[in-house]
């Protein structure tokens, strides 16, 4: 549902941020490590640490706001 928005933001911020996605059904250990219980969950990392997250479908503006705050 939010995959197209994430793809747009990945293109817009290419070279500035790294965007990756993970299928929690295929990577159960990773989902457990980060305590992901709801899909979709977007984690924001800075310096290798989770610094923020969004849970549930969010509008593009909200996701972009989080990215801008971390740049």
């Amino acid at each position: 549902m939010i995959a197209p928005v994430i793809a747009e933001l990945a293109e817009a911020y290419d070279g500035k941020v790294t965007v990756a996605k993970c299928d929690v059904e295929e990577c159960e250990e990773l989902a457990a490590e980060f305590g992901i219980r709801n899909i979709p969950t977007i984690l924001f990392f800075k310096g290798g640490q989770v610094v923020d997250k969004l849970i549930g479908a969010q509008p593009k503006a909200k996701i972009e706001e989080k990215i801008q705050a971390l740049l």
Side-chain angles (χ1 to χ4, degrees):
M1 188 154 106
I2 65 168
V5 170
I6 298 299
E8 286 177 28
L9 292 170
E11 187 174 321
Y13 288 93
D14 187 35
K16 296 178 184 176
V17 299
T18 300
V19 176
K21 65 180 183 175
C22 174
D23 182 338
V24 296
E25 290 180 6
E26 292 179 12
C27 303
E28 293 177 9
E29 294 143 9
L30 192 60
E33 178 181 344
F34 291 106
I36 296 172
R37 299 192 195 310
N38 300 311
I39 300 171
T41 295
I42 302 171
L43 301 177
F44 297 88
F45 291 81
K46 189 164 189 171
Q49 301 294 315
V50 176
V51 294
D52 208 346
K53 68 178 158 180
L54 291 172
I55 298 171
Q58 301 289 326
K60 181 179 177 180
K62 178 82 169 183
I63 300 167
E64 192 163 22
E65 178 183 309
K66 296 283 187 180
I67 293 170
Q68 284 291 325
L70 295 171
L71 289 178

